[in-house]
Amino acid sequence: MNEKQLKKKVIKKFHKKTQDAYEELYLGRCVADVALLSDDSFVGYEIKSPLDSLKRWNESQKWTYCYFFDVVWLVVDPKHVAKAIIELEKPIAGRGNGFVSNPWGLMDSDWNIYVYPSENKWPARDHRFYQLDALWAVDLRVECKKRKIKPGRKSAMIDRLLEVLNFTEVRQLVRKYIILHKEIKRNE
C-alpha cells in the first residue's frame, strides 16, 4: 500500500463529523500527512509506507508534530514497527523542551496498536503558542489589528495574542486560517 492509499485509509478510519480532515498540513518545518482538527482536539498522523524511512521522523517531524498536536499517531507499514518503537523511545531533539508524557502512539497499517499515546503535557509554553506559530505572519498581523494589538515580530505577536485568546479561540483561529489557505491554494 502506498502513502496516498494509507492517507485515505487513515481518514476513512478515524475522521469524525466534528473534525476537519486535512492531507498535507504545513507546520512550518514539516508537513503533517493527515491532520484531524476540531475545537476539542488536534490529532496528527505521520504515515510511513514500505518505501519510506524513519530518518526524518526522529530528526524533525517528531518534535514539530508534538508541539502542534495533542496526540500524534505514527502509522507505519508492518516492516517499520520494530525500528519505529526504538525511534519513539528516543528523546525529542530541539528547542530544549522535554516532554512530561509521551504524546505519540504507534500503529501499523492494519490498525494493530503497539504504543498508546498519553495526554500531551507541556513543561513550558502550552499548545496554543505552537499552534499559532503555524500561522503566517500576515495572518497574525490581521488578528492583532482586529484586537487593537500592536503588531511586531512573529513571536511577539503570538505572545500578545495569547494574552487575549483562550484555548478554544486559538484553535478556531488556527482552523480558520488553515481552511483559508487550503482554499486559496486550491483556487490557484
Side-chain angles (χ1 to χ4, degrees):
M1 187 176 302
N2 66 33
E3 187 173 330
K4 188 173 185 156
Q5 292 167 321
L6 269 172
K7 286 177 188 177
K8 298 291 183 207
K9 189 176 174 183
V10 165
I11 290 171
K12 185 176 180 181
K13 173 84 174 165
F14 297 106
H15 181 237
K16 297 175 185 135
K17 289 180 184 176
T18 59
Q19 298 170 317
D20 300 322
Y22 301 96
E23 289 183 47
E24 304 290 314
L25 177 63
Y26 290 86
L27 302 174
R29 294 178 162 207
C30 71
V31 178
D33 288 324
V34 174
L36 301 178
L37 310 180
S38 71
D39 290 343
D40 300 331
S41 175
F42 280 20
V43 181
Y45 295 85
E46 174 60 22
I47 296 168
K48 298 296 182 185
S49 74
L51 302 175
D52 289 323
S53 83
L54 295 172
K55 187 174 190 269
R56 277 194 353 239
W57 171 250
N58 204 45
E59 289 178 355
S60 63
Q61 292 172 321
K62 187 161 89 171
W63 74 264
T64 302
Y65 272 51
C66 289
Y67 282 122
F68 188 81
F69 295 108
D70 303 317
V71 174
V72 179
W73 284 98
L74 179 58
V75 181
V76 300
D77 183 80
K79 83 173 204 170
H80 291 309
V81 169
K83 183 159 183 169
I85 289 171
I86 293 167
E87 291 296 326
L88 287 178
E89 291 174 353
K90 290 180 182 177
I92 295 177
R95 299 201 187 181
N97 291 335
F99 290 90
V100 177
S101 61
N102 187 13
W104 48 87
L106 172 66
M107 73 177 86
D108 67 23
S109 53
D110 295 322
W111 313 134
N112 297 306
I113 296 175
Y114 298 91
V115 178
Y116 284 91
S118 303
E119 181 184 342
N120 203 347
K121 297 179 182 169
W122 302 98
R125 292 177 165 171
D126 61 27
H127 298 288
R128 297 174 312 145
F129 180 89
Y130 300 101
Q131 290 167 352
L132 285 175
D133 193 39
L135 298 182
W136 297 357
V138 68
D139 302 334
L140 295 168
R141 279 189 203 95
V142 167
E143 293 305 319
C144 283
K145 210 171 192 179
K146 282 182 187 175
R147 291 166 178 79
K148 297 183 174 137
I149 296 171
K150 182 180 175 189
R153 289 185 353 263
K154 186 174 181 180
S155 61
M157 288 189 288
I158 292 170
D159 286 335
R160 290 178 195 132
L161 284 167
L162 290 177
E163 291 173 9
V164 298
L165 296 173
N166 67 34
F167 189 72
T168 302
E169 291 168 328
V170 167
R171 288 182 179 229
Q172 289 169 344
L173 198 64
V174 170
R175 287 175 69 196
K176 171 182 135 182
Y177 280 102
I178 288 170
I179 292 166
L180 175 70
H181 291 294
K182 282 282 186 189
E183 289 301 315
I184 290 169
K185 194 171 188 175
R186 194 175 299 144
N187 293 327
E188 287 179 342

